[in-house]
Amino acid sequence: MFAGMFAPTATSLMGLGGVAHASSKKLSPFTFAVLTDAHLYDIPDHKFDAILEKAVADVNGIMPPPDLVLYAGDLGQSGKEAELVKGKRILDKLKMPYKIIPGEHDYYLDMGKAWRGLFGDEYWSIDHKGSHIIGMNSILVKDFWSMRNLTPLERMGYMEELECHQCGLWGVHEKQLDWL
């Protein structure tokens, strides 16, 4: 059974969850924190930097500390490597392990190259205290850019829109199901 509170806001970026028990197998209770959607810019000392720094400090101050942190995407705003590097530098201040998946704002400028260079595989699974936790890239869309000869910057511009009507639906599709 999973129990938790997930209410990230523009000032917190944080949710807390815990695993209490499972009826089909032995499960050791544990807690985890969820951080998401920092949308960092490649601008020194941007106000979003301070929000993520505070969220990391808040997680580090939880007693007892969570076993791990899950970061649910959109660390950067425009997919620039500098944004992701800044975000990694901040997340690396966590006192517990963290796992991260990409968001569309992290991915579409270079199709995840910088993200993978910093964080590794965009699909992962771990076992923790009897629970199997899966993280995967769930923001893949069909190629809408090649036929239109869009540049990477133009493609990213579409993906940065609040509601990208050109992009199509993202979610779990063939590639992710094949991996699962």
Side-chain angles (χ1 to χ4, degrees), residues 15-52:
L16 298 174
V19 175
H21 63 80
S23 58
S24 62
K25 63 175 158 176
K26 186 172 174 115
L27 181 70
S28 297
F30 69 91
T31 60
F32 58 94
V34 177
L35 298 177
T36 189
D37 290 279
H39 290 277
L40 301 177
Y41 284 86
D42 183 19
I43 299 170
D45 302 317
H46 188 272
K47 65 183 179 179
F48 291 173
D49 301 359
I51 294 170
L52 183 57

Side-chain angles (χ1 to χ4, degrees), residues 11-168:
T11 57
S12 75
L13 303 175
M14 183 174 72
L16 298 174
V19 175
H21 63 80
S23 58
S24 62
K25 63 175 158 176
K26 186 172 174 115
L27 181 70
S28 297
F30 69 91
T31 60
F32 58 94
V34 177
L35 298 177
T36 189
D37 290 279
H39 290 277
L40 301 177
Y41 284 86
D42 183 19
I43 299 170
D45 302 317
H46 188 272
K47 65 183 179 179
F48 291 173
D49 301 359
I51 294 170
L52 183 57
E53 292 270 5
K54 181 178 182 329
V56 166
D58 288 348
V59 170
N60 283 337
I62 295 171
M63 290 300 156
D67 289 41
L68 61 118
V69 175
L70 303 173
Y71 192 93
D74 289 342
L75 187 57
Q77 172 60 26
S78 303
K80 295 179 182 176
E81 186 170 5
E83 297 167 352
L84 300 174
V85 166
K86 180 195 291 190
K88 184 174 185 331
R89 187 183 72 245
I90 296 169
L91 291 177
D92 284 349
K93 294 177 183 177
L94 288 163
K95 295 178 182 175
M96 64 287 301
Y98 70 90
K99 295 296 286 182
I100 182 171
I101 59 170
E104 75 278 10
H105 289 262
D106 303 323
Y107 191 82
Y108 279 94
L109 182 64
D110 65 2
M111 302 305 289
K113 181 179 178 187
W115 191 94
R116 284 187 300 276
L118 291 164
F119 300 107
D121 213 352
E122 59 200 74
Y123 297 87
W124 49 263
S125 67
I126 59 172
D127 290 312
H128 185 73
K129 294 188 175 182
S131 291
H132 190 70
I133 303 168
I134 296 170
M136 69 176 128
N137 181 340
S138 62
I139 47 86
L140 298 180
V141 297
K142 292 186 179 186
D143 181 345
F144 66 90
W145 52 87
S146 293
M147 292 291 287
R148 299 162 94 186
N149 294 316
L150 297 179
T151 67
L153 193 56
E154 289 170 326
R155 176 182 61 224
M156 188 64 222
Y158 279 101
M159 297 309 290
E160 285 181 294
E161 292 177 14
L162 183 58
E163 294 180 14
C164 178
H165 300 289
Q166 304 296 315
C167 308

